[in-house]
């Protein structure tokens, strides 16, 4: 006897991925020409309903993402008769590249804040990923820093995680 579970169902329009359906939720991808314009997700993960929309902004050449804005809602205990209140968050990701002529990611800095009714919105936390490459342009290390934001400026890192990647062949991967 065998058991088969569907991990994900992928939907395409021509060669473009436009949707992913998993047991946890549904992701929809919208394009503007050849570029991803918007990604939306609706799902339930560990009893929490999560909905988000990400909007992508590109540089003038239309080849590099420079910002991603995300609006997200979460509602815990969605399966209970009285679920928790809906919480809303905003995140902006700023993407930089190593040099103007390369497509190598240098950093991705995401700042997040919770939207609280009747208060002025402010980003309160950040995460920053810094990328290092080997001689074949493969990512060899990613350092992720986490901390608070004061006055719209990321503060000192309070946690750092380092990931190293070294198991590549001789090609660009």
């Amino acid at each position: 006897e065998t058991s088969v579970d569907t991990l994900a169902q992928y939907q395409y329009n021509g060669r473009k991925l436009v949707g992913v359906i998993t047991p946890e939720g549904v992701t929809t991808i919208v394009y503007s020409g050849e570029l991803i314009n918007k990604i939306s997700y609706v799902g339930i993960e560990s009893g929490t309903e999560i909905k988000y929309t990400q909007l992508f902004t590109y540089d003038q050449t239309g080849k590099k993402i420079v910002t991603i804005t995300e609006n997200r809602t979460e509602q815990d205990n969605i399966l209970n008769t009285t679920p928790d209140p809906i919480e809303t968050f905003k995140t902006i990701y700023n993407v930089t590249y190593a040099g103007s002529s390369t497509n190598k990611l240098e950093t991705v800095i995401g700042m997040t804040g919770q939207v609280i009714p009747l208060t002025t919105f402010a980003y309160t936390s950040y995460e920053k990923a810094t990328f290092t490459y080997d001689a074949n342009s493969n990512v060899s290390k990613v350092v992720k820093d986490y901390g608070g934001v004061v006055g719209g400026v990321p503060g000192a890192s309070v946690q750092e995680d380092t990931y190293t990647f070294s198991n590549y062949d001789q090609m660009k991967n």
Side-chain angles (χ1 to χ4, degrees), residues 72-133:
R72 177 185 194 96
T73 61
E74 297 180 5
Q75 187 172 25
D76 291 333
N77 302 312
I78 192 71
L79 302 176
N80 290 352
T81 54
T82 55
D84 293 352
I86 296 173
E87 295 180 314
T88 303
F89 300 91
K90 290 184 178 186
T91 301
I92 186 164
Y93 298 95
N94 290 302
V95 182
T96 62
Y97 299 86
S100 60
S101 62
T102 178
N103 289 327
K104 291 181 186 177
L105 279 174
E106 184 174 42
T107 62
V108 178
I109 301 172
M111 295 193 302
T112 301
Q114 184 172 0
V115 176
I116 300 172
L118 305 175
T119 64
T120 302
F121 174 78
Y123 294 109
T124 55
S125 64
Y126 79 90
E127 64 178 72
K128 177 182 178 182
T130 305
F131 299 84
T132 304
Y133 297 85

Side-chain angles (χ1 to χ4, degrees), residues 47-63:
T48 300
E49 181 181 58
I50 299 170
K51 297 179 183 178
Y52 67 78
T53 299
Q54 296 176 328
L55 301 174
F56 295 77
T57 305
Y58 295 84
D59 68 357
Q60 292 178 347
T61 67
K63 295 180 181 178

Side-chain angles (χ1 to χ4, degrees), residues 16 30-37:
K16 293 179 183 174
V30 177
Y31 294 82
S32 176
E34 294 298 313
L35 303 174
I36 293 175
N37 184 39

Side-chain angles (χ1 to χ4, degrees), residues 2 26 73 92 99 130 153 156 165 172:
T2 61
V26 176
T73 61
I92 186 164
T130 305
V153 178
F165 307 97
K172 182 176 179 181

